[in-house]
């Protein structure tokens, strides 16, 4: 007869688990049923489910039922388990809708590719008894990079001269990590602010979540490059700025610089790309890189290497 | 470059059908032209399928659809009164195809435009014809544009873009 949760916990933990004692699962297909207090058994491991992961956005908590926060009972370590969830959805980017897919196979493959590379989240994949590809992930101990930057309690000018050079150096490293994926025929698939984290102890930047994919033929890495451009804009500006934000900052509409649609991002038309207009100390070379993502651009970056070959000299000039 | 050799790139869309019609309309009544309908295989992304079987099935479906499209368009050209011997088809397989028959040249999947231009150069086509779907600036940034890339990268041939 197979073990109960209580028997498993008694075997692994000296202190008794005080919460709900649920079921033991060896088949994770019905992930909605699996919840705190259940134990997942697959590969060589036992994982006690603590709770469903939640995504926090604009103060709203959105549960991700296919991602479980767990304790690996053999080691006592915290782990994130991503269970198989096939999802096809339309990602809205400005006026463009992109069909995206969630692919456990892709994420499992990238975890193998980047094993031991601290620029990426770490983990491995294993199959449950029904052949579902579960990704077992180390928890990144840190904070979203954008939240960390937002939380720096300094004005933009201080930020720009005292913090940005170091941040930009690390961001270039993060871009090189994406170039490494591309060189190996892989794409991150979902480069956005909440997928680049800053590890607390090392200060290293770590990419997370590689399970998105999409079917672009002529420019397979275009979305990743656009994502990097958006992140760079946030990092340089210490935030995004709409026309309203600019007026609010200046306190008077008449003081706002002249701006036209070409100064804003090509895709998110309410985000100012031409940051030099509100922060005149931004060097023209760095502003030029940002302007490649603006509605006024006539040339786009087709590879991360092109993007980096313009960005690296900006860092040198700031030092 | 051989000016009487025309390469029409097709992807199974209405735009590429229009390109074929345009070429047929121009060439009808002319002698000694060679028309090749070229398809660069773009398989559905492997990662969007739960397993290899499902992906392979989708790849077979894709190939059948394009084979039918090539055959229909070849017939359409014949309906313009152009002799069948003047028309051929070329299907360039993806290097990653599970149905691969070990072709001499396969598409690595990084750029359809470069694959088309490679065939044009290798086989001395004087004219390359491509349909255009018409994309916004933002779409071109994100998804790329085969026709724009061909216009910018093509050399030693004439390029017709049929809108």
């Amino acid at each position: 007869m197979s073990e109960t949760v209580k028997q498993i916990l008694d075997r692994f933990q000296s202190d008794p688990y005080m919460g709900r004692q649920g079921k033991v699962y060896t088949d994770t297909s019905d992930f909605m049923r699996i919840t705190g207090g259940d134990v997942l058994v697959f590969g060589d491991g036992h994982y006690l489910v603590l709770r469903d992961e939640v995504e926090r956005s604009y103060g709203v908590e959105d549960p991700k039922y296919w991602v479980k926060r767990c304790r690996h009972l053999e080691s006592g370590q915290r782990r994130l388990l991503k269970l198989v969830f096939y999802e096809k959805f339309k990602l809205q980017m400005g006026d463009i809708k992109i069909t995206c897919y969630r692919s456990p196979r892709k994420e499992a493959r990238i975890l193998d590719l980047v094993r031991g590379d601290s620029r990426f989240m770490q983990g491995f994949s294993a199959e449950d008894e029904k052949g579902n590809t579960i990704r077992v992930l180390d928890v990144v101990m840190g904070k979203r990079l954008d939240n960390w930057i937002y939380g720096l309690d300094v004005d933009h000018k201080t930020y720009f001269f005292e913090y940005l050079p170091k941040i930009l150096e690390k961001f270039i490293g993060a871009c090189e990590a994406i170039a490494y994926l591309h060189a190996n025929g892989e794409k991150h698939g979902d480069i956005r602010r909440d997928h680049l984290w800053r590890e607390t102890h090392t200060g290293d930047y770590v990419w997370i979540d590689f399970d998105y994919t999409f079917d672009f033929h002529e420019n397979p890495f275009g979305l990743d490059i656009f994502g990097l451009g958006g992140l760079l804009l946030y990092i340089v500006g210490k935030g995004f700025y709409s026309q309203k934000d600019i007026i609010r900052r200046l306190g008077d509409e008449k003081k706002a610089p002249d701006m036209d649609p070409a100064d804003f991002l090509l895709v998110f038309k309410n985000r100012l790309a031409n940051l030099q207009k509100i922060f005149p100390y931004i060097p023209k070379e760095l502003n030029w890189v940002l302007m490649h993502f603006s509605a006024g651009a006539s040339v786009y970056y087709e590879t991360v290497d092109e993007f980096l070959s313009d960005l690296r000299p900006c860092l040198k000039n700031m030092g | 470059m051989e000016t009487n050799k025309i390469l029409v790139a097709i992807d199974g869309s209405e735009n590429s059908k229009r390109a074929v019609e345009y070429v047929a309309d121009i060439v009808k009544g002319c002698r000694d032209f060679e028309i090749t309908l070229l398809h660069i295989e773009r398989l559905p992304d492997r990662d969007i399928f739960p397993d290899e079987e499902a992906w392979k099935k989708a790849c077979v479906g894709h190939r059948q659809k394009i084979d039918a499209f090539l055959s229909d368009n070849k017939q359409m050209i014949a309906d313009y009164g152009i002799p069948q011997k003047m028309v051929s088809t070329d299907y360039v397989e993806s290097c990653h195809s599970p149905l691969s028959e070990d072709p001499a040249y396969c598409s690595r999947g990084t750029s359809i435009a470069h694959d088309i231009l490679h065939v044009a150069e290798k086989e001395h086509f004087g004219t390359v014809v491509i349909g255009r779907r018409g994309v916004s600036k933002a779409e071109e940034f994100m998804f790329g544009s085969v026709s724009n890339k061909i216009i910018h990268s093509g050399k030693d041939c004439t390029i017709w873009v049929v809108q």
Side-chain angles (χ1 to χ4, degrees), chain B residues 109-120:
Chain B
T110 47
S111 171
I112 297 171
H114 290 155
D115 287 330
I116 293 169
L117 292 172
H118 173 84
V119 172

Side-chain angles (χ1 to χ4, degrees), chain B residues 33-37 74 77 82-89:
Chain B
F33 268 88
E34 281 180 41
I35 302 170
T36 298
L37 306 182
K74 206 172 165 191
I77 294 172
I82 298 168
Q84 291 274 7
K85 64 174 185 186
M86 287 170 58
V87 186
S88 59
T89 61

Side-chain angles (χ1 to χ4, degrees), chain A residues 103 105 109 218-219 295 300, chain B residues 46-47 52 111 137 141:
Chain A
S103 170
R105 293 205 298 169
R109 206 172 53 234
E218 194 53 25
N219 195 16
Y300 311 122
Chain B
R46 197 177 194 156
D47 288 329
E52 291 295 291
S111 171
K137 214 171 159 182
F141 182 109

